């Protein structure tokens, strides 16, 4: 089970936002990697992956987005928040053999 | 362009059936695990299940086991979701998404989704 916090995150443009994702069990795979991903979903759109394997950014993702953490605790950090960052952020793991799990989602809004 | 396009959604009565399709283009479809993810109105994302590159392995979330079935036709670059005994709780947008590295690298590409509404 992945638990995100906060579930709602009002942020002033230019400030930094942090979202926590905690797992009920270690997400370290037997191959040594940790398959923890972060997704962003804007209203009315499909989700888009931002971060994979804890901290690797997908192509085209601004370096304002960064992922960190290990084991059971992970964080998505967004620096210099912009209006286009609004939407819902989900963590997701696919570490345990072919069973994927999403967090509840964190809704980021601009103050 | 790498693309996934879902189709087949619609309005169906409780207990009815529906078959969704996902057409892939721009990449070697047969090299990827494929998944279905759904999102109920106003809710979060829920993984429904996935199917191996050659269709030999399939995994389902508990809530759909015995009712949903995945298949794929690699010659047609297509993924399918057969949904039977539909319930109101299956109402959602259904997305297909691809996964690589034996399913561990999920989900770098998503479709736009197709809407399924189950009503009595």
């Amino acid at each position: 089970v992945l638990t995100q916090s906060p579930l709602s995150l009002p942020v002033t443009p230019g400030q930094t936002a942090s979202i926590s994702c905690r797992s009920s069990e270690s997400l370290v795979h037997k191959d040594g990697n940790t398959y923890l991903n972060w997704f962003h979903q804007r209203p009315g759109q499909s989700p888009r992956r931002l971060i994979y394997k804890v901290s690797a950014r997908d192509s085209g993702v601004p370096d304002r987005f960064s992922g960190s953490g290990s084991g059971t605790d992970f964080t998505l950090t967004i620096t210099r928040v912009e209006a286009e960052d609004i939407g819902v952020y989900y963590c997701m793991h696919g570490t345990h053999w072919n069973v994927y799990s999403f967090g509840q989602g964190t809704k980021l809004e601009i103050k | 362009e790498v693309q996934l396009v879902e189709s087949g959604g619609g309005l169906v009565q409780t207990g009815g059936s529906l078959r969704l399709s996902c057409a892939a283009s721009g990449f070697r479809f047969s090299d990827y695990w494929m998944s279905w993810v759904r999102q109920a109105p106003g809710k979060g994302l829920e993984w429904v299940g996935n199917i191996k590159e050659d269709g030999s392995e399939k995994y389902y979330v508990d809530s759909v086991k015995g009712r949903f079935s995945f298949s794929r036709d690699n010659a047609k670059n297509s993924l399918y979701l057969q949904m039977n005994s539909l319930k109101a709780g299956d109402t959602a947008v259904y997305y297909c998404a691809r996964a690589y590295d034996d399913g561990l690298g999920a989900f770098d590409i998503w479709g736009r989704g197709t809407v399924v509404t189950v009503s009595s």
Side-chain angles (χ1 to χ4, degrees):
Chain A
V1 176
L2 294 179
T3 302
Q4 290 183 227
S5 63
L7 299 184
S8 179
L9 185 56
V11 183
T12 301
Q15 298 296 103
T16 295
S18 293
I19 301 170
S20 170
C21 177
R22 290 186 171 177
S23 174
S24 57
E25 56 187 343
S26 173
L27 298 186
V28 180
H29 190 265
K30 59 185 178 181
D31 67 6
N33 290 308
T34 299
Y35 296 94
L36 189 283
N37 310 306
W38 289 95
F39 297 85
H40 177 214
Q41 185 178 33
R42 293 191 178 102
Q45 296 187 11
S46 305
R48 173 199 182 193
R49 196 177 70 179
L50 302 173
I51 301 286
Y52 61 97
K53 284 200 283 189
V54 181
S55 59
R57 266 190 305 274
D58 272 278
S59 175
V61 175
D63 60 8
R64 301 185 295 104
F65 292 85
S66 63
S68 62
S70 64
T72 60
D73 290 343
F74 305 91
T75 301
L76 175 69
T77 301
I78 312 168
T79 58
R80 306 184 303 281
V81 167
E82 300 179 2
E84 68 176 18
D85 299 335
I86 64 165
V88 182
Y89 291 82
Y90 297 92
C91 59
M92 187 223 86
H93 85 80
T95 292
H96 300 299
W97 185 245
N98 284 305
V99 175
Y100 301 103
S101 178
F102 288 94
Q104 319 99 299
T106 295
K107 185 175 184 179
L108 186 148
E109 60 181 25
I110 300 296
K111 283 183 181 176
Chain B
E1 180 190 5
V2 175
Q3 199 171 11
L4 296 171
V5 179
E6 303 90 339
S7 61
L11 176 63
V12 60
Q13 286 191 327
T14 302
S17 298
L18 207 57
R19 189 194 196 208
L20 306 184
S21 299
C22 170
S25 59
F27 65 98
R28 193 181 177 102
F29 180 70
S30 57
D31 284 350
Y32 292 84
W33 283 75
M34 295 297 297
S35 280
W36 289 97
V37 177
R38 67 184 179 182
Q39 186 169 35
K43 302 297 184 182
L45 301 171
E46 180 186 33
W47 173 74
V48 177
N50 58 7
I51 181 170
K52 194 176 179 179
E53 297 98 327
D54 62 0
S56 61
E57 294 180 35
K58 305 168 190 179
Y59 299 89
Y60 303 88
V61 70
D62 286 348
S63 60
V64 308
K65 284 179 181 176
R67 301 188 300 120
F68 288 14
S69 176
F70 308 137
S71 61
R72 62 191 296 163
D73 185 337
N74 287 342
K76 295 183 177 180
N77 294 325
S78 293
L79 171 72
Y80 305 103
L81 170 55
Q82 177 67 43
M83 303 186 293
N84 298 327
S85 303
L86 283 161
K87 306 175 181 179
D90 296 319
T91 294
V93 177
Y94 284 75
Y95 299 99
C96 60
R98 77 175 190 182
Y100 53 93
D101 282 352
D102 208 19
L104 293 169
F107 300 114
D108 63 332
I109 301 295
W110 295 67
R112 291 189 175 183
T114 187
V115 178
V116 172
T117 304
V118 183
S119 175
S120 56

